[in-house]
Every structure is written in structure tokens, then in C-alpha cells.
Amino acid sequence: MAKDISTRAEDYSQWYNDLVYKAGLADTSAVRGCMVIKPHGYALWENMRDVLDKMFKDTGHVNAYFPLFVPKSLFEAEEKNAEGFAKECAIVTHYRLKADPNRPGKLMADPEAKLEEELIVRPTSEAIIWNTYRDWIQSYRDLPILINQWANVVRWEMRTRPFLRTAEFLWQEGHTAHASKADAMKEALQMHDVYTQFAEEYMAMPVIKGAKSENERFAGADDTFTIEAMMQDGKALQAGTSHYLGQNFAKAFNVKFLNTENKEEYVYATSWGVSTRLIGALVMTHSDDDGLILPPKLAPIQVVIIPIPKPSEAIDLIAEKMMTELKSKGIKVIYDRDEKNRPGFKFAEYELKGVPVRIGIGARDIENGVVEIARRDTKEKSSIKIENTVEHTIQLLDDIQNNLFKRAKELRERNTHIVDDWDSFVKILEETPGFIYAHWDGTSETEKAIKEKTKATIRCIPLDAPEENGKCILTGNPSNRRVLFAKAY
RNA sequence: CGGGGCGUAGCGCAGUCCGGUUAGCGCACCUGCUUUGGGAGCAGGGGGUCGAGAGUUCGAAUCCCUCCGCCCCGACCA
């Protein structure tokens, strides 16, 4: 076990917190509920962002940027959305500070500088964006609009956890406008697929694709599509959502277009987003009691070369040649010739940080014409001939990526249950948390009752679930397909 | 916002009940020497308005009051 990190078995959530801080992903900050994303954590985000950004561009989207503040009157316009977020909004009421006459050296909001209209710090940008789209759209020829923005948003959460739920977080939000329901629905489903592909291919995190029930749906959406991942403690984590917004925002902001028949029609909309929460998902999907385990495709450092016991001319020569070759193959590699720390310390440190592959080079190895290559996911070590190192490393990175996905999928399958009676349902949720496929009668009341009794929610109505007649797990009313229940983050 | 806990060096803590040397320990940090194939050892050294304010007292980290902050558990949530 790594120094000063709780084990998963002892205390899963403490393990997560320890890892985030000890591995240098984030730090606490002076602002309640907000964290500092440290370089190692931010590098992960940059890698995620770069891959996603390319996927968005490849599907025809462009980036733009809209204001941080939303005038209250705009925010109110789409009622359901406003209601959904009202309880967690930060509000700007003043635009100036002044010296506090009662407390020397202190400042106060200047009562003379009260804003005529209060500004909401965006919890999401539909309002400000649709207010803008109104001016951009006259005819079907202006559609579709396919815009994404990379931004920060603020949701004043009562309880926060690093990456998983913070008051301010980074994300991307796509906001598209279409001339037909079919086009908008196609867009929402396409982005749902993009997120799925990203989660599985890059994060090595298997997900269940599905639609949200009415209770869990984004406020203001007609349909919300989600990808749900299982963390190592069996709890579900919503990793990305894509919304079909229908004409709700178009109606609220009066965004109409002339269709090909010269008739006015409200525009159809989607929005979709993933956030820095994905970093939390990555940590909880793969890591172990020794530290982070990062999938090679997103790891800020993929390979570290460590001289044993310390740099020498002979080691430098081999290491530098190896680095050049690996870099030429697009591998992110560093050579740690820092003499402050001994090899053992470095081994532990890079394991903590999740570097997928470690190459150790010592005098003994050089005599034998080999290096020692260790993989982070299984901690296996092997001696590889120096001339085969580059080829072996590239293959190994690929193996690790695949193994992580396989391992995560096996964990999910081990902890997924098909349940038909209430007693087993309750028992499983209490004793062996995981995913449960069960019948549900389709009503909000039943969903709420189940949540109250067990704390489990409907994570999604899986898109690929086969039609199957059955009886609701709680009420016994008829149901024609199973839905996915779990306790969630 | 309710219930509980905690603020003492960068981090983790002891000391607080029962007031009394110069506030201490581990890790980290700095210097030097010896080490070096899985988190090195020894020696020396630096670092504190004891969360803030006000009070009781000859004397307060310790007792009283007020305030602030953080963490955990609930309700809410990506």
C-alpha cells in the first residue's frame, strides 16, 4: 500500500480523496466548494479536451464563447430550466466595492452600486445562447447552428467533492439549433455516441447508454440521453449527457425560422456536455491502493525512464536514445535523472501518479543488454532487450489500454444483477451495491418511492434493452422493459 | 439549512479536562557526510500572531463570551 493513502476496502471515499490530493490532481482552495486543479490534473483535462474537441470538429461543430453572466430576466424565460437550477445559483447584485466606514481597512458592497438587473452566474448557458440565436436565425438557410463552448460554470452545491461535485467546474457545452425534430434528435443521439466512444476508447471506461426518466431528466429537455459508468464501489456515475430540447427554448426565447414553405416555425434544439467530473470517473474506474492508474491514451506522461541507482554516462546514452525514438513515435516520455530521490522513491511516486509504463536502467541491465519494463496496471515487470524496447513499449501501452477496459467491464458484469422481486432488490442494494436491471411501471411516483426506500435511482432506460413483459419491482404493475437501477454519485 | 466534530509550523497530530519554564512530536524543508536494483541513515539547522476578537487572571493554546472557517452525517445535485 502506498504511503498515507487509505485503501479502497477500508474507506472508499477517503481513498478517493487521498488519491486526488496525494497524486497531485487537485488542491483545496480558499473558496468553499471550489478546488485548485493542479498541473497533473489539468494535464489530464487538457488531454480529454483535445480529444473531445477534435471529435466535435470532426462532426461539424465549431467553438465560440458566450458570457459568464446571465441577466435574471433571460434566465427566467424557460421556466422549467430556471426552476431546476434556481436553488444553486450564484447572483451578482453589485458592481463596486467601497471602504466600510464601520470597519477600518475592510471593504463592503457599495449600496450606491446596486445593479438594476441582477446577474446570474451561469449554471449552464442555454438562456444566454438562445437569446443570442434569436438574432442569428431567420430562415432554414441559417440552420443548423452547431456550436460548442469550453467554459466554467457555477452550481452552488451544498456538499462538494473534488472533481465529482464542485461549486465551479470546467466543462464543454454544445448548443445546436435545427430545422426539424428529426435533425435535432439525430444530433442529440450522435453526440451521445461521441461521448460513448470517448468514454470507452479513451478513458477505457465502459458505459451503459440510455435515456433518463422524467425525474432525472435535464430541466427544460424533452429527452435526456446519458452514459452511466460503474465505479469500483459499485455506484453509478453519470459521465455525460446529451439533451433533445425540442422547441422549449425556442418558444421561451421566441426563436423562429421560415421553413422551405415560407411558414414560421420554432427552432429545434439540443445541448450536450461533459465536465471535469470525468477526471473523478477516471480515478474511480481504474486506480488501486498504490495510486492512480491512467489509461495510456489520456496519461500526461506515458513512459518514465528511471536510472538505477542514479544517472551515469552509460545510462544517459541509452535513455536519451530511447527517448528520442519513443518521442518520434508520439509517445510522451520523460527521463527522471533527478539525483535528489532514489529509485525506490521514484517507483512509488510514478505509480502514485499513474504513469502506465516504467523503464528502469541499471549497470546490471546494461551488462545483459536489457532494461526492466514495468506496467502500472498489473505491476508486472519484465526484462526486455534494449533494441526491442521501443516496439515493446508501444505494444505494452496498447495492451494496458485494452486491459483497463476489459478489467472495468468485468467488474461491471460481476456487479450487475437481474432482479424480479422486491426483497432481492433491497438485499442486493444493501449488501453488494451494483447495477440492477428490473422492471418498472413507468411512473414518477414509483420511481420516487423506490428512491425513498432504497436510495437507488433509475440511472437510465437502456437504449438497447429488449422488449420484455414483466411486473414492476415495487408495484407489480405491468412493464414492457427493464430499466437500470443503482445508487449514484 | 438541521445534527455531530475540529481549528496548535507546509502536512498530520500531542498538549486543553485540572491555567504556571523558552509550546512539543512525526513527516516535509535547509546544510553536511555516508549511502543508492522498491518510499535511505546520521548529525546539525530554519520555520508558530496556538482560527479571529473581546474578557477573567499576577499569568491563557488551556477558563468565559462572540464571531469566522473547515470536515463528517442528512435533505439537494453533473
Side-chain angles (χ1 to χ4, degrees):
Chain A
M1 190 192 80
K3 240 185 189 174
D4 304 326
I5 295 184
S6 307
T7 63
R8 289 164 292 178
E10 268 166 22
D11 186 341
Y12 191 81
S13 66
Q14 191 58 47
W15 164 81
Y16 172 80
N17 285 333
D18 288 350
L19 215 50
V20 165
Y21 297 124
K22 297 275 159 54
L25 296 179
D27 210 345
T28 51
S29 80
V31 191
R32 179 192 154 87
C34 296
M35 63 173 177
V36 175
I37 303 178
K38 292 179 77 177
H40 193 46
Y42 200 79
L44 258 178
W45 179 239
E46 285 177 313
N47 289 345
M48 292 178 165
R49 190 193 60 194
D50 290 351
V51 171
L52 284 164
D53 199 65
K54 179 162 191 312
M55 293 173 95
F56 299 157
K57 303 264 170 71
D58 287 347
T59 43
H61 302 87
V62 291
N63 286 327
Y65 188 80
F66 293 85
L68 171 68
F69 303 115
V70 185
K72 202 171 94 191
S73 59
L74 290 186
F75 189 75
E76 292 161 342
E78 210 293 324
E79 269 178 56
K80 279 187 186 158
N81 190 252
E83 247 180 65
F85 285 109
K87 280 174 290 184
E88 48 190 23
C89 284
I91 305 134
V92 181
T93 54
H94 293 75
Y95 60 86
R96 194 197 298 145
L97 294 168
K98 67 169 206 174
D100 186 339
N102 299 318
R103 298 182 309 153
K106 306 286 184 185
L107 295 170
M108 61 184 284
D110 185 346
E112 304 285 305
K114 208 161 177 327
L115 285 170
E116 255 174 58
E117 181 173 7
E118 293 175 346
L119 298 173
I120 312 299
V121 181
R122 63 180 167 214
T124 181
S125 301
E126 276 79 3
I128 191 83
I129 287 179
W130 279 87
N131 185 62
T132 308
Y133 281 2
R134 182 179 53 239
D135 298 336
W136 291 357
I137 298 169
Q138 274 87 40
S139 97
Y140 72 92
R141 292 174 196 274
D142 298 320
L143 297 171
I145 293 178
L146 304 172
I147 285 180
N148 175 64
Q149 84 166 344
W150 291 95
N152 59 338
V153 287
V154 169
R155 297 181 188 174
W156 215 262
E157 301 288 351
M158 303 217 172
R159 288 194 57 201
T160 58
R161 299 194 61 193
F163 292 111
L164 299 175
R165 181 166 299 109
T166 47
E168 180 194 11
F169 57 92
L170 305 183
W171 76 345
Q172 58 70 217
E173 45 181 328
H175 295 275
T176 67
H178 305 266
S180 72
K181 173 172 180 174
D183 286 355
M185 187 57 89
K186 196 173 151 198
E187 166 77 7
L189 292 171
Q190 172 185 243
M191 299 322 287
H192 191 215
D193 287 343
V194 165
Y195 289 154
T196 303
Q197 192 191 346
F198 177 75
E200 299 200 331
E201 277 182 28
Y202 289 87
M203 296 176 68
M205 180 176 77
V207 295
I208 305 289
K209 299 169 72 174
K212 284 293 187 185
S213 65
E214 197 185 332
N215 284 344
E216 300 281 325
R217 195 177 291 160
F218 176 70
D222 284 356
D223 271 306
T224 289
F225 302 103
T226 179
I227 54 174
E228 299 283 328
M230 184 189 288
M231 302 297 102
Q232 289 180 62
D233 61 351
K235 285 168 85 174
L237 186 131
Q238 176 177 309
T241 49
S242 177
H243 315 289
Y244 168 69
L245 302 173
Q247 295 172 308
N248 300 335
F249 284 88
K251 285 177 181 164
F253 290 93
N254 196 31
V255 188
K256 296 179 189 168
F257 71 103
L258 279 178
N259 62 23
T260 49
E261 280 141 39
N262 202 30
K263 290 213 174 97
E264 266 198 337
E265 199 178 342
Y266 286 111
V267 173
Y268 297 84
T270 83
S271 68
W272 29 273
V274 296
S275 72
T276 37
R277 178 180 236 206
L278 289 181
I279 294 172
L282 203 57
V283 172
M284 286 201 292
T285 299
H286 301 303
S287 302
D288 66 18
D289 295 344
D290 292 320
L292 294 180
I293 297 179
L294 300 176
K297 286 188 183 177
L298 294 174
I301 302 167
Q302 295 168 308
V303 178
V304 59
I305 303 174
I306 296 176
I308 297 168
K310 59 182 180 184
S312 70
E313 245 178 70
I315 296 174
D316 284 354
L317 206 67
I318 295 169
E320 270 152 27
K321 180 157 181 273
M322 216 171 261
M323 272 219 296
T324 310
E325 287 176 33
L326 284 167
K327 278 184 181 167
S328 76
K329 304 279 182 187
I331 309 280
K332 293 172 206 153
V333 53
I334 60 166
Y335 173 39
D336 184 352
R337 59 193 310 291
D338 187 343
E339 291 185 47
K340 276 204 308 281
N341 297 313
R342 303 169 12 140
F345 179 90
K346 293 178 183 175
F347 293 172
E349 191 67 13
Y350 290 108
E351 278 162 12
L352 177 61
K353 294 206 159 174
V355 177
V357 173
R358 181 185 73 230
I359 300 176
I361 310 176
R364 209 163 67 200
D365 299 311
I366 294 178
E367 270 175 43
N368 299 323
V370 297
V371 294
E372 181 189 81
I373 301 194
R375 55 189 288 178
R376 175 65 183 89
D377 59 341
T378 63
K379 304 198 77 180
E380 286 164 342
K381 297 182 207 174
S382 46
S383 273
I384 302 296
K385 287 213 164 99
I386 291 175
E387 60 270 27
N388 297 338
T389 308
V390 171
E391 193 190 350
H392 180 86
T393 301
I394 290 169
Q395 183 60 49
L396 189 56
L397 287 168
D398 204 41
D399 286 351
I400 293 170
Q401 182 82 28
N402 294 332
N403 182 48
L404 290 181
F405 182 77
K406 186 168 149 261
R407 223 156 67 167
K409 198 162 185 181
E410 283 165 2
L411 178 117
R412 187 181 76 189
E413 274 155 21
R414 271 203 309 284
N415 295 292
T416 296
H417 314 272
I418 294 175
V419 174
D420 287 310
D421 68 285
W422 180 252
D423 289 346
S424 319
F425 186 82
V426 173
K427 191 161 174 257
I428 285 172
L429 283 170
E430 272 169 15
E431 291 171 10
T432 52
F435 287 0
I436 298 182
Y437 287 99
H439 280 285
W440 164 59
D441 65 16
T443 67
S444 281
E445 293 69 40
T446 302
E447 182 177 2
K448 280 176 191 158
I450 292 173
K451 184 178 180 182
E452 242 169 68
K453 289 174 199 287
T454 65
K455 290 188 180 154
T457 50
I458 296 178
R459 299 321 304 153
C460 68
I461 302 156
L463 293 185
D464 59 2
E467 292 257 332
E468 178 195 309
N469 290 321
K471 286 180 179 170
C472 174
I473 192 86
L474 182 67
T475 63
N477 292 333
S479 145
N480 61 0
R481 58 161 42 166
R482 289 178 187 272
V483 299
L484 177 61
F485 285 93
K487 290 184 186 169
Y489 275 97

